[in-house]
Amino acid sequence: MRLTAVAAVAVLSAGCAATAPPLVARAEVPRAAATAPDADSALGALGDRMVAEQIAYDPTAAYFLGVPTADHGRWADRSPAAIAAFEAQRDALLEAVRAVPVDRLSQANRFLHAGMIERLEADQALRICRYDFWNVNHMSGWHLDLADVAREQPVATAAERSAALARWGALPALVAQEIANARSGLGRGYSAPKVVVRRVIKQVEALAAAPAAKMPFYQIAERSPDAAFKAEFERLLDGPVRAAFRDYARFLGADYLPRAREAIAITANPDGRACYAASLRNYTTLSRSPEAVFALGQRTVAANLEAVRGIARQALGTDDLPQIVKRVNEAADNRFRSEEELVAFSREVVERSRAGTAALFAAMPAQAMEVEPIDAYRRNTGASSYYQRQPDPKRPAFYRIASDRWASETRGGAEITAVHEGYPGHHMQIALANASAPGPVAALLFNSAYPEGWARYSEALAEEAGIYRTVYARITRRLWPARGMVVDPGIHLMGWSREQAVAFIRESGRFAGPEAEDLVDRIVVWPGQLTAYDSGALEIAALRRQAETALGRCFDLKEFHARLLETGIVPLSALRAHIEAWIAARSCPAG
């Protein structure tokens, strides 16, 4: 359903803190960029600067950017002063990137330039949301990123083991800063909704209650043969780390929850309407009003439902939508008998879709992707499945499946999600981009519209390739898309109640069980994100139709996909400009 939050290391709200880092003091354009003989060199220097400043602020970012670092002993500083200093660096960088003459850049660097401008401008606009004041989030909160850091924390040398003890020993300071930020937010009128706070409490209590050897951070000790280090790290987890999570759980339950907002709409926070507009732009890269998103979503849903009726008339003998949903979801051959069966089925779909869609592409990624359930402490808290990027091509990426919801999942739905996360979806696109990206800066230029749009488009592409085994997937694939464009602004700006949102989601049949409640609370903490999937997919589908019409018999689907995927993650406007330029330059001999 989504990319892991750690992939979006540029988003400041995903960071966490303990001790102050030495900030990179470079407010002006660096000398290399100012005196470079060409624009490409200037932009390359600015890309390097963006990466260096990010790692100087948050050294854990290096793990997810694939950049070597010797700094393994601290967290990012999440104090207001450090955040403000980092934002000032980003503002200076934005001005420097704007000064680079775009018309003198190579094509690849035009993509890079567009991505840097979009990411820096979107982050700047997002500041009005003050996410640092209400970073109580069961989907991408600071506490969830810790397990991803633990997976990458090196312990091969004595110095690295010492650094690991220092970093994880500073976790209480990290927690204290997050508590202080949340208190400040409450005093200014910012909070997460109560329904979300309860989910976070459940996650944090699970972390605090787990034996040290069952905590997701214990893998750090398991990777080292040093018995003394293992014992010391286990004492750290059993002592200060456990106590810090207990402190946070107590704070959330006793202090935060009673003062948290009941309302689920972002407009209940200060500047909520402006925040929603900034969030829409952040996730979609489009300057489209919430009202326009809502209307486009309604039109698209209506068209999808007409297609569903047509398929069901032939396959099921009915065009009554409630009956269609009921029959699809209750069909015995569309259900799972166990969690293990769902996981095994998803692994089989990943392998089948890799082989079955290869003919649609000029190249397939060499990097492997594995399917594994989500971490234990995320189970039964509303956490959804996600794709976990791995910048090292020699190591596998992961589809982390929320298999705890196996009883309400369908085989058709599981096929669609496996395609979305794997082939030809997220893994296909991101692994290829990693192999050709212009350095680690590319990983900082994340937006949701391009990768989620590609993954949604891939759901339809898999049907073209004959991946889906039953009519259930063909129907289910059309029941849900574009509803996110309706329910997301519906909740945040149109005055929809929680009950109204849940009912609208369940009408689709795609999230008919407790997932409907989960999805509402996901929308609550990520305002605008659910609109990105179909904002991107509709744009990609429109570009394909445009290319097919313009090129006629000379249209080649492999070539079209190659042109789409060669850009990496870019704003939708840059993608459109690139494809339209390709169409204009592509000759088609007469005859």
Side-chain angles (χ1 to χ4, degrees), residues 507-573:
E507 282 176 5
S508 72
R510 181 68 182 87
F511 305 97
E515 301 94 336
E517 297 275 356
D518 296 344
L519 198 56
V520 168
D521 292 342
R522 168 183 166 158
I523 293 167
V524 166
V525 297
W526 287 347
Q529 195 268 346
L530 210 62
T531 71
Y533 294 70
D534 293 286
S535 295
L538 290 171
E539 184 72 356
I540 290 171
L543 288 171
R544 177 170 165 177
R545 289 193 299 271
Q546 186 174 335
E548 288 172 334
T549 300
L551 300 178
R553 63 181 176 80
C554 291
F555 175 80
D556 181 88
L557 188 56
K558 281 187 178 181
E559 185 181 5
F560 174 71
H561 288 155
R563 299 291 78 79
L564 275 176
L565 293 170
E566 70 187 356
T567 66
I569 294 176
V570 293
L572 293 181
S573 59

Side-chain angles (χ1 to χ4, degrees), residues 118-292:
E118 176 62 30
R119 183 70 271 141
L120 292 165
E121 287 185 349
D123 284 350
Q124 191 178 70
L126 274 175
R127 293 174 196 167
I128 197 167
C129 297
R130 295 309 307 260
Y131 283 120
D132 53 315
F133 279 156
W134 55 291
N135 190 16
V136 180
N137 181 328
H138 69 293
M139 295 296 298
S140 57
W142 62 270
H143 63 293
L144 299 177
D145 290 343
L146 300 178
D148 297 301
V149 174
R151 273 189 275 270
E152 305 299 328
Q153 179 90 44
V155 289
T157 68
E160 288 172 347
R161 292 190 289 274
S162 177
L165 292 172
R167 173 177 283 163
W168 293 88
L171 192 71
L174 181 157
V175 174
Q177 185 62 66
E178 289 295 340
I179 290 174
N181 290 350
R183 287 191 193 279
S184 295
L186 289 172
R188 292 168 170 82
Y190 296 89
S191 80
K194 291 183 188 295
V195 291
V196 168
V197 178
R198 293 188 184 101
R199 289 182 184 267
V200 176
I201 290 172
K202 187 173 182 179
Q203 290 175 337
V204 176
E205 287 180 342
L207 286 169
K214 295 295 185 181
M215 287 183 179
F217 326 124
Y218 188 72
Q219 59 191 298
I220 295 173
E222 290 178 322
R223 290 199 300 272
S224 173
D226 187 325
F229 169 74
K230 283 187 173 183
E232 181 61 25
F233 198 80
E234 186 166 352
R235 283 194 294 272
L236 189 62
L237 295 183
D238 258 331
V241 170
R242 187 186 308 285
F245 282 120
R246 284 175 175 162
D247 287 345
Y248 190 56
R250 279 194 295 268
F251 162 72
L252 291 178
D255 298 346
Y256 196 90
L257 184 61
R259 299 174 62 187
R261 56 183 161 102
E262 292 282 357
I264 59 175
I266 188 62
T267 49
N269 274 354
D271 298 311
R273 182 170 287 272
C275 172
Y276 190 69
S279 290
L280 271 184
R281 185 265 174 91
N282 170 61
Y283 287 121
T284 68
T285 74
L286 299 171
S287 298
R288 185 180 280 161
S289 72
E291 292 77 12

Side-chain angles (χ1 to χ4, degrees), residues 1 48 86 89 111 134 192 217 225 240 263 339 383 436 444 469 495 551 562 586 591:
M1 295 275 314
D48 292 343
F86 182 72
Q89 287 186 330
F111 298 147
W134 55 291
F217 326 124
E339 181 174 358
S436 60
L444 287 174
R469 292 278 174 86
L551 300 178
R586 179 76 161 79

